[in-house]
Amino acid sequence: MFDYRSAALDVLKTEIAALEQLDQYFNQDFVQACEMIMANKDGKVVVMGMGKSGHVGNKIAATLASTGTSSFFVHPGEAAHGDLGMIESGDIVLAISNSGESSEILGLFPVLKRLNIKIISMTGKPSSNMAKLSDLHLQITVPKEACPIQLAPTSSTTATLVMGDALAMALMQARGFTSDDFALSHPGGALGRKLLLKLSDIMHTGRDLPLVTPTTVVRDALLEISQKGLGMTAVVDDHQLLVGIFTDGDLRRILDKRIDIHSALIGDVMTVNPTVAEPNMLAAEGLNLMQDKSINGLILCQDGKVVGALNMHDLLKAGVM
């Protein structure tokens, strides 16, 4: 029986070895490439590549675009048949080819040069035509491919991807790109919900907000908790200012003390100085706060007044956790 596991481990070892020597190529050429892109305020980074290099290039362009560097991928074959019009003077072309001899890309160089477009090539052959004709060259040479017959691009495509990620992340940090910036380009899906959603978007307000006063009998407060379904109620004064909170946990504690819920006032058994948050807090931050404080519910206040409330179930339903 063929040893699939050993074959897989050989691939892993070969590709790790390739990456371990990649650090030598994060040299002055890499720094200059970053500086060239940073200095290009109005232009875009146009990524090109054929075959496997094209697939990796597509991913690199997407990573650049989502981390603050305007970028898109153009297929070299399509560029020669009209898509070259997508590239404008002032753009920077990132051309990827392990051999550095991709005829489809090299055929575009005269036009790119005529348009005064800067070219950064990423190849495994610093003596290649593409490397020599480019304004800057990023080397991605690997000792060998993980393919046992040394034909399928494997280690070389991994090295290309890492070089692209390094470029994108270096630029991201240089720009001071934040999680808020990242959220603006990822508004959809779970990631968007975590980064963009605020507590005000999911909090209970108005008639759905559990509220009682300090003079409310515990029994009536329990009815308010049951009707509103948050497992707690805020305790407010006549001006809607928060003075305390009463939760399911508080109920268990007073029952252990045999306090009469039909006569005791909520003001005498409530928790004072509870953990609160503001409505404009990100939902992800609210989740972290609740987990840090080991609480299941959160009262939201604005200038001391209670304006909303939510519990862990609301965050779960909103897809924040």
Side-chain angles (χ1 to χ4, degrees):
M1 181 178 178
F2 183 76
D3 193 343
Y4 296 103
R5 184 173 181 276
S6 293
L9 289 173
D10 286 342
V11 171
L12 181 62
K13 291 175 183 177
T14 301
E15 298 207 7
I16 288 175
L19 294 182
E20 284 178 339
Q21 57 84 54
L22 195 64
D23 61 347
Q24 64 184 300
Y25 304 132
F26 297 129
N27 50 25
Q28 191 58 31
D29 291 332
F30 179 84
V31 174
Q32 290 179 359
C34 291
E35 291 175 344
M36 178 187 289
I37 295 172
M38 285 294 292
N40 192 36
K41 302 297 183 182
D42 299 321
K44 305 172 290 296
V45 175
V46 182
V47 184
M48 290 185 176
M50 284 296 297
K52 304 298 187 297
S53 293
H55 294 306
V56 175
N58 226 321
K59 190 274 179 187
I60 291 173
T63 300
L64 285 166
S66 68
T67 53
T69 300
S70 182
S71 179
F72 60 88
F73 178 81
V74 171
H75 191 284
E78 298 296 332
H81 295 278
D83 282 2
L84 200 60
M86 300 168 67
I87 308 174
E88 301 174 314
S89 178
D91 289 342
I92 296 173
V93 165
L94 177 60
I96 304 173
S97 168
N98 185 45
S99 68
E101 301 295 345
S102 171
S103 58
E104 292 87 353
I105 297 178
L106 284 171
L108 299 174
F109 270 42
V111 181
L112 297 175
K113 295 286 186 179
R114 186 175 178 180
L115 292 173
N116 196 31
I117 292 171
K118 298 293 185 182
I119 302 173
I120 301 172
S121 62
M122 191 182 295
T123 84
K125 304 291 190 299
S127 60
S128 64
N129 284 314
M130 190 180 295
K132 291 177 180 178
L133 294 171
S134 299
D135 296 283
L136 286 171
H137 177 246
L138 299 179
Q139 190 170 342
I140 48 170
T141 307
V142 296
K144 66 175 182 177
E145 298 287 5
C147 171
I149 57 176
Q150 295 299 297
L151 292 178
T154 44
S155 301
S156 58
T157 49
T158 302
T160 305
L161 182 60
V162 171
M163 180 62 77
D165 283 345
L167 188 66
M169 295 305 103
L171 292 168
M172 176 183 180
Q173 293 178 66
R175 295 182 193 283
F177 195 83
T178 67
S179 58
D180 288 339
D181 298 319
F182 194 83
L184 293 175
S185 59
H186 296 77
L191 183 59
R193 286 192 293 274
K194 287 184 179 181
L195 293 175
L196 290 175
L197 199 68
K198 294 185 177 181
L199 295 179
S200 58
D201 297 321
I202 56 176
M203 69 184 185
H204 297 261
T205 60
R207 293 185 178 182
D208 296 325
L209 182 59
L211 294 174
V212 297
T213 64
T215 57
T216 302
V217 176
V218 172
R219 177 199 59 197
D220 295 334
L222 294 179
L223 289 175
E224 179 74 357
I225 292 174
S226 177
Q227 290 173 357
K228 302 302 170 61
L230 293 182
M232 64 178 180
T233 182
V235 185
V236 298
D237 62 15
D238 294 337
H239 302 289
Q240 296 294 298
L241 294 171
L242 182 69
V243 295
I245 190 174
F246 189 79
T247 68
D248 290 340
D250 293 320
L251 174 61
R252 288 191 293 272
R253 283 187 284 274
I254 67 171
L255 290 177
D256 288 340
K257 295 179 180 178
R258 300 184 182 279
I259 294 176
D260 186 359
I261 65 172
H262 298 283
S263 59
L265 301 181
I266 205 73
D268 297 326
V269 295
M270 68 184 182
T271 297
V272 296
N273 299 319
T275 299
V276 298
E278 294 187 349
N280 63 353
M281 177 183 282
L282 290 174
E285 294 176 328
L287 173 61
N288 291 337
L289 177 63
M290 293 169 71
Q291 290 176 332
D292 289 343
K293 299 294 184 179
S294 298
I295 56 178
N296 292 317
L298 198 57
I299 300 297
L300 307 178
C301 296
Q302 195 81 54
D303 298 324
K305 292 185 177 181
V306 176
V307 295
L310 54 85
N311 62 15
M312 202 67 84
H313 180 69
D314 294 315
L315 294 172
L316 178 64
K317 190 165 60 174
V320 182
M321 56 183 297

